[in-house]
Each structure stands twice: as structure tokens, then as C-alpha cells.
Amino acid sequence: MGMRWRHPLVNEDMKQTFLYLAACAAVLGAGAVRGAVVRYELTIAEKVIASAGKRVTALAINDSIPGPTLRFRVGDVARIRVHNRLPKEMTILHWHGLLVPNAQDGVAFLNTPPIAPGKSHDYEFRLKHAGTYWYHSHMGLQEQRGLYGAIVVEPAEPQGPAVDAEHVAVLSDWTNEHPDEVMRSLRRGDEWYAIRKGNQQSLWGAWRAGALGEYLSREWSRMPPMDISDVAYDAFWVNGSPRTLLPGRGGGRVKLRLINAGAATYFYVNSATGPLTIVAADGMPVRPVEVRRLLMGMGETYDVVVTLPAAGRYEVRATAQDGSGHASMFLGEGDDHLAPDIPKPNPYSMDWMIAGLEKDERSLNAPELPRPLSPYRKLRALASTQPPADAPVREIELRLTGNMLRYTWSFNGKTLKEESTIPVNRGEVLRMKFINDTMMHHPLHLHGHFFRLLNGQGDFAPLKHTVDIPPMARETIEFHANEQGDWIFHCHLLYHMKAGMSRVISYDGQGPGHQPRLNLSHMDPWIFGLEATLQSNLTHGQAGWRSMRHDLDVIWEYGFGDDEYELDLQWKRTFSPDWATLAGYRFTNEHGARDRAFGGVQYRLPLLAEGTLTVDTEGDLRPGLAKTFQLTDRWSFINEIEYDTNTRWEWNSSLEYRINKRFSITGGYHTDHGFGGGILFRW
Ligand SMILES: [Cu+2]
């Protein structure tokens, strides 16, 4: 035993040989041709769709969203030719959950060159393991626009519970906005999506929910409001439709291959037939276990079995975690039986969430909550998943971190651009402890490996490729580093990945000073934003560009009555959610003041008030304080006060009512410019 595992190359080769022989034996035994070559041609092109109430250009594979289901048998060789028929964009496909050679993994630049418009690319790999997987674009935000589809790999010999029928169910989310615009809105810290979904927190809402104390104590501790999800979607889909009919015979057992291909949506799946029996997670079989409601993170797959009653048509529903909508599949024939509603989240009570974490399936026999976490504590592999006993174990800690207001997401406070790699030594067991310091769930996905989720099941810890880390929670995984090259590890919330929550697992033996092939210039694009108020008495606003850490802005204020102006060109450098420095140049004629250069600091105070202190080249000091009170979801009360050793006291208070994504109505009082009212425009 010791000999067999000592040399990692021998280990891998022997495993390959074993898998190969096993596949040969099984296939020969079944009388089929060993290792058939299975070919697919996938054409990526634009497609105009109008299914969510508006005509928009989506991306489709073979003119379909989701793309075609790719079916294989263990031992087959996949030969997949991908054609890029997009007019301008490069593209690429990744085989999510499949163990494939590094160059076939389909992560743009890192593993596989992206496919230029008009060009094609051939993928080839052998199918090593059975289960439910999927494929999607790993280029920019293309996945959100429709580039995803299912992969089903049948075992060489039938295994698992016998069923009468099986269906693939690809869950996804759809927005009529271009995802670049979604990303820009998120990066600007715009709260419009929360308002649109009715999830915007406010003093009035907290009072009505009996959670005013919690609301204020959260603000006191400088924590921005929790977002259950970032984006407001126009539709949720099963197999590309909000309502899908699937054939099923009364009394029959049906296996559903559930795939969460959403870009930024956790789904609760539940069924009108009663509990779901989980038989596989992330493609790997597990001991069958029943759950009434199944929380699925993006990138996860579950095989579940339901038994249809003799008559009737039964709903299996996927509800967005934030309660903003759902998609349904109906099984069987006859009268409709609807799945029970999942209760809406209470966005105010953090205690409610933490209590949920404590009580949930951390203990196996705890009653299921109305909004449970992932059923991880119940998942148990069918055979031991222990790594080789003599492999050295190395433990690392990764904190999940973020700056909600700037929408930067990171590990240990650093984005992919700031810290690219996690080095790994071939042959070791890398144990990763995740500690989530944010108020969001993050589904973390590792390419090229299955990891053991250390969930209290000992030797039978389940194998997964994606794990959800709930807000403020911890999980530990470990995997045997038996690969080579560079593999991406990232949050599968598409916008979090893009905003920096990503690392390269980089094997040794790639030469000294090895740098992974990352196109870092694409990772931190500058985005433009504008917020301009035009009132009867004054105009003020801010326009400029923002990267992860830097803001370059023009900030102005001009009073129509006294013809006084102040115009700042400002550079802001953000160090943490709480700290930033400012430097700039001010053009002004206020109270006869002269133009000047200035520098200073910005600090987030308790109650989420923003404190600023600047000093300028004329020797003047200016402390200031700004605080916005969110009165209702659309009404806010904005207050700014500053003292300048030159211009003395200045303050203004205004009320704002949010009409839509672009416009608000505003009105208020300014010490220099008096009363006035008008509109606020955002871009
Ligand atoms: Cu995330």
C-alpha cells in the first residue's frame, strides 16, 4: 500500500490504468464498443429573444438556451468542436465538474486560448466518471446571457436506484439588462435592484418588522444592509422557460438532474409530491437522504428522486432565495398540484439568520427550517473518500471578504489582481478552511478536482466541486493535489468572480517564477458613473471613473442666486470599507476664496456616517460629516454639514424620492443657496 501511493506519478498512472481497465471491462461486459468517440458540434451565436417581456439579444448554443444536453458514457472520448459565430466577442466553454486535462478546462487565457469570432476550437477528453454536470462560457459575463447547458455521463454499468424516467432540469436567471450594465450598477453601489425587488431596508420597514433596534445596531456597527442577492432579475427559468412540462407516469419514480446554472441566484427546490430524495451531489452518488426544501448554490448539481402519485400533475418549484420569483416544472397528467410556498426572507433580522445557522442541519436530527441551508451535514459518500494516508496535509485559511459599497469581493482582503495564486505541492493534501466575513452566501468552485467536504461524516465525507459558505459561517474542504498546472478556484456568483473573488491553484514544478496566464487588464476595468442634481436654487453632483480601489471624479456645486461655485478634481484611494484618502484641486469663488490644492482622509463612522477631513494649500482645514437616512424604500433624507476655517459653517438637508433606475425627485435647504427643488439624474 505504502509503495503504491508513495510516488505521485505512479499513483496517478495507476489510477488512470485502473479506470481505463475498469471502463474496458464494464463496456466489453455490456457488449458495446469500448470507449466510443462521441462528437458534438456547438455553435455559439447571438439570438434575439423576447421571453421576459422585452426583445433583447441573448447568446445561444445551437440556437438554444440552455444549449443542448451533452450525453456520454464513462470511458467515452468526447470530441467537441465549438464554433464562435459572434460578431465581435471572443468566447470559450468550460466543462463544469468534469475531470479533464488542464488544457481542455476552458478557462480563457489560463488553460485554453479563447476562440476568436469566426474561429473554431476542438476539445478532446476522456470521460472518467459518471454524473450530472454542465458546461458554460468562462469568458467575461457571457454565462449570464445564455451560454450554458447540461452534461450527463452514464456509468459504464447501471448504478443507483432504479427509476421510471429521468429529466435534466437546468435552473437559471435572466435579466433584460446587459450584464455589463448590471455590473456597472453594482460597482457604483446603486441600490436600485433592492428597491425594485422590495428588499430595500429602511427605518419605516424596520419599524414595521419590529426590527428597529437591530437595524440601528447594524448601522452603529458600520455594517451596510445585507443583500440576499445582488441583482433584480426579469425571469427565472427551468430549461429556458418559467414553466416547463415534463412527462411522467402516475405512480412512477422520476429522477431529476438539477443543475443551478444561475449567474447570481440561489434556488430553493421543493416538490408538491413531498420530500425530495437526494441520490447524488455534484455528480457523485451519496447515500439517499430526504429533504423537503433543497437550497442549491450556483454551480451545484443534485440528482433527486420524486415519486408521482397515481393521478395528477405535480409541481417541482425552484424559488429564488431572495423571494423575487420562481420557475416551475410540472410532472404527470391531470389536475395541477402546486408545491408549497417558501416563506419570504426577513431582510432585517440578522439574528434570524445567525439563529438559522446555529439550529440548521448542523445537528443531524434538527427539524428542517422553513428556509434551510444546504443539506451538507446529511451528505454521505457511498465509499471511503480518504486521501492516501501518507500524503502530507497542509492547512490554509481563506477569509471571504468584500466591500459591499464598492462591490469588490476578495479572499483575505485581496482580489485576484492583487494576489493571484495559492501555491500547491503535487502529492500533498491541501486543507482549506473558509471563514465568511461577509453577509452574503458564496458558492466556491474548484476546477480540475473533487474535494472532500469535511462535514462530520468521517471517512465518508462527500466529494464535491462547489461548496456554499453561508454568511458569517465556516466550512473546511480538503483535496489530494494529484494534478499539475494552473486551475482556477472562484466564487461561482458570476459578478463576485468578476469583482475579484478568485485565485489560481498553482502547482509547483512549473519552473521558477512561474506566473499564471491571466489577462489582468480585463479584471479591473474603469467604470463611469454620474449623479447630477438640478434644482431651482442650485446644481451639484459628481461624475467620474472608478476602479476597484480608485475614484477619479469631478465634484461640483453651483448656486444660481449668488453665482458662487466650487469645483473639485478629486482622486480617492480606498484602503478598506472604512478608510480612504483624498487628494485634489479646487476651483472656487465662494466667499472670495482662492483656488487651492487639498488632501485629506475619509472615515466611515458608526451609524454609517461619512466623516471627511481635508487641509488645503491656503492653510484652511475642513471637517465634514454626511449621513443619509433611508426613510422608506424610496424616500431618503440626506444631510451634510461642514465647517471650513475660511468659509465657516455650511450645511444642507434634502429629501429624495426614487422614481426609477435613472431619476429621483429632490428638494431641500442649503445654507448658502436657500430652498429649492428639482430632479436628480444617475448614469
Ligand atoms: Cu461570492
Side-chain angles (χ1 to χ4, degrees), residues 230 266 298 400-401 407 409 411 438 440-444 490-497 501:
D230 295 330
Y266 278 75
M298 293 72 86
L400 284 53
T401 45
Y407 206 77
W409 297 96
F411 291 116
T438 78
M440 287 196 79
H441 288 257
H442 302 278
L444 304 182
H490 62 92
C491 178
H492 220 282
L493 199 163
L494 186 61
Y495 302 94
H496 287 187
M497 171 175 72
M501 205 172 206

Side-chain angles (χ1 to χ4, degrees), residues 278-447:
I278 299 172
V279 297
D282 287 357
M284 291 286 140
V286 293
R287 184 180 65 179
V289 59
E290 282 192 354
V291 293
R292 284 188 307 135
R293 287 141 197 221
L294 170 61
L295 180 65
M296 287 184 71
M298 293 72 86
E300 290 190 299
T301 75
Y302 282 96
D303 293 357
V304 301
V305 175
V306 298
T307 303
L308 295 182
R313 192 159 72 173
Y314 290 80
E315 182 189 23
V316 176
R317 190 188 292 182
T319 306
Q321 189 191 21
D322 64 11
S324 66
H326 68 260
S328 304
M329 55 207 118
F330 283 90
L331 293 162
E333 303 286 337
D335 295 340
D336 277 358
H337 297 261
L338 298 182
D341 290 339
I342 304 285
K344 292 233 174 207
N346 174 357
Y348 290 102
S349 180
M350 244 153 45
D351 287 346
W352 179 88
M353 286 212 56
I354 305 294
L357 294 184
E358 299 290 325
K359 270 187 285 179
D360 198 42
E361 287 102 346
R362 306 274 145 180
S363 82
L364 266 173
N365 301 318
E368 237 181 284
L369 291 172
R371 294 171 56 83
L373 295 176
S374 302
Y376 292 157
R377 299 296 165 263
K378 296 177 179 172
L379 299 181
R380 184 176 173 86
L382 297 183
S384 171
T385 56
Q386 278 288 0
D390 59 352
V393 177
R394 187 163 61 92
E395 193 168 295
I396 62 168
E397 190 178 279
L398 272 197
R399 288 186 171 267
L400 284 53
T401 45
N403 182 345
M404 197 68 209
L405 300 174
R406 296 181 69 81
Y407 206 77
T408 53
W409 297 96
S410 49
F411 291 116
N412 294 339
K414 294 203 166 110
T415 63
L416 176 69
K417 195 178 178 187
E418 293 164 331
E419 188 176 294
S420 301
T421 61
I422 296 173
V424 65
N425 306 310
R426 189 175 158 99
E428 73 181 355
V429 170
L430 187 63
R431 187 172 294 161
M432 301 170 86
K433 270 177 83 169
F434 303 123
I435 301 171
N436 188 347
D437 287 338
T438 78
M439 287 306 289
M440 287 196 79
H441 288 257
H442 302 278
L444 304 182
H445 172 54
L446 174 63
H447 286 221

Side-chain angles (χ1 to χ4, degrees), residues 564-593:
E564 284 196 336
Y565 65 85
E566 199 175 272
L567 188 139
D568 292 353
L569 302 177
Q570 181 183 282
W571 167 48
K572 176 169 147 183
R573 164 79 164 93
T574 301
F575 291 91
S576 81
D578 297 331
W579 271 105
T581 53
L582 307 172
Y585 195 82
R586 176 169 301 149
F587 302 90
T588 181
N589 68 351
E590 271 195 5
H591 304 273

Side-chain angles (χ1 to χ4, degrees), residues 514-530:
H514 164 74
Q515 283 295 318
R517 283 185 301 271
L518 291 167
N519 196 344
L520 288 171
S521 62
H522 282 219
M523 296 204 178
D524 188 9
W526 289 81
I527 56 144
F528 177 76
L530 163 77

Side-chain angles (χ1 to χ4, degrees), residues 52-63:
K54 192 178 169 192
R55 280 175 66 84
V56 282
T57 304
L59 304 180
I61 302 167
N62 295 0
D63 205 37

